[in-house]
Amino acid sequence: TMRVLLQYLALALAAQAAAHAPEQACVSSDRSAPPALRLVFIRHAESHNNVLNLVSTDYYRENRLADPPITPLGQEQARAVARFISESRSGLLQHISEIHVSPTLRTLQTAQPIVHQLVGVKAIVDVSAFEVGGVYDQDARTGAVIAGPGLARAEMSAGYAYELPDAVTSTGWYAFDEASAAAKGKESRAEGATRAAALADRYRQLAASLTESKTIALVSHGDFIGAILTSLLGQGCDPARPGVAFKVYNTAVSVVDIRADGSVLVLMVNSVSHLESNQYRPAHLGRV
């Protein structure tokens, strides 16, 4: 019959694809196999710059800020994701022992309600987890780019209860003076992907060293979280071949486990189930 013929054809095509597929290690979906490093990735809430994008590209270029704050709607989103994580009955989000936070204003503001909800959990600023592109101002007419300093140590200490590394100085953490500001400019996507791959390697090394499972939450950025995920899944950033990309919405939650052998189990990607219909702009979904 036609159904049998179609089933046979599907099996034949699957066998042919398998024959030509590169060899790869099989990854068990058994979540009970310890130890593992669980990573909970959280994108920052809606920022000033995200809203500009909805008007036009030119409006964004003319009005963007180097280190924007989150919007009033973003504050609602941050509180919502904090409740989602702290009240979750799912084992995916339990037992977070550390919260790592990008040093930008929007991520620090997003993480604050989470830190307040997870009492006693260590919160650490990670200066390697900033967004692809960096902190920069760009002249809308000439296109000239100059890097910004980022928040200074006193500014971070005054508003947030985070552990700060020595890299956060009295003048900032990104570009410390005029010379470095001019030299840094805007980070390229390739440079951002390399930085994300380096952080992914740090996570793999930590997973390999564990004697018991551990969960870390990282509050970071859409492009950077996507770049970490592609690196962890072995996709990299090779322009010579098709790759995989991840869309990450404001306050979206993604969860992966890294096993001691380096294998990765994907448990959740880009979930915004914690947001009510009045807590996001429909135009943002699929765009920002």
Side-chain angles (χ1 to χ4, degrees):
T1 66
M2 180 60 72
R3 178 179 294 180
V4 173
L5 179 60
L6 290 174
Q7 289 175 341
Y8 176 80
L9 180 60
L11 288 171
L13 290 173
Q16 184 180 28
H20 292 281
E23 291 186 8
Q24 57 183 9
C26 294
V27 180
S28 169
S29 61
D30 177 13
R31 287 183 247 160
S32 66
L37 173 64
R38 177 157 297 174
L39 298 172
V40 179
F41 296 112
I42 305 159
R43 186 192 173 191
H44 65 80
E46 179 188 80
S47 73
H48 166 84
N49 288 359
N50 291 153
V51 178
L52 302 180
N53 263 325
L54 296 178
V55 180
S56 71
T57 301
D58 288 341
Y59 188 76
Y60 169 81
R61 289 172 178 167
E62 292 167 2
N63 296 279
R64 73 176 295 280
L65 300 175
D67 195 5
I70 60 176
T71 64
L73 179 59
Q75 293 171 7
E76 289 186 36
Q77 294 173 343
R79 289 191 291 267
V81 74
R83 286 193 299 271
F84 175 66
I85 291 172
S86 65
E87 298 173 3
S88 176
R89 296 181 180 179
S90 166
L92 293 183
L93 302 176
Q94 293 177 350
H95 312 300
I96 293 174
S97 60
E98 295 178 10
I99 303 171
H100 296 183
V101 188
S102 159
T104 64
L105 179 57
R106 57 196 183 278
T107 44
L108 294 168
Q109 290 177 332
T110 300
Q112 193 168 30
I114 302 173
V115 174
H116 287 166
Q117 291 279 1
L118 302 181
V119 178
V121 173
K122 185 185 298 185
I124 307 166
V125 167
D126 184 343
V127 295
S128 73
F130 60 89
E131 179 60 306
V132 176
V135 178
Y136 64 92
D137 285 306
Q138 186 167 17
D139 190 296
R141 291 169 296 176
T142 66
V145 174
I146 185 166
L151 292 174
R153 194 173 189 89
E155 293 173 307
M156 284 196 199
S157 299
Y160 310 97
Y162 300 126
E163 291 187 16
L164 304 181
D166 292 340
V168 180
T169 72
S170 60
T171 57
W173 59 271
Y174 191 65
F176 304 105
D177 51 42
E178 291 185 9
S180 63
K184 274 194 170 183
K186 180 181 178 181
E187 180 188 56
S188 70
R189 286 198 169 272
E191 290 169 334
T194 298
R195 179 166 49 84
L199 183 53
D201 283 342
R202 278 169 44 197
Y203 288 143
R204 289 191 191 94
Q205 291 168 12
L206 176 57
S209 69
L210 293 178
T211 56
E212 59 183 21
S213 294
K214 180 183 181 75
T215 301
I216 294 174
L218 173 68
V219 183
S220 188
H221 308 265
D223 286 348
F224 191 67
I225 290 172
I228 295 174
L229 288 171
T230 57
S231 180
L232 287 174
L233 297 178
Q235 296 299 311
C237 185
D238 183 356
R241 63 181 178 83
V244 173
F246 291 89
K247 176 63 71 176
V248 183
Y249 301 142
N250 290 126
T251 68
V253 178
S254 302
V255 184
V256 301
D257 278 357
I258 307 178
R259 307 277 177 71
D261 63 2
S263 61
V264 176
L265 177 62
V266 179
L267 302 172
M268 181 187 294
V269 176
N270 198 29
S271 173
V272 288
S273 61
H274 53 278
L275 296 181
E276 301 292 339
S277 60
N278 63 343
Q279 292 179 324
Y280 65 88
R281 302 177 199 273
H284 272 179
L285 299 184
R287 180 172 179 181
V288 177

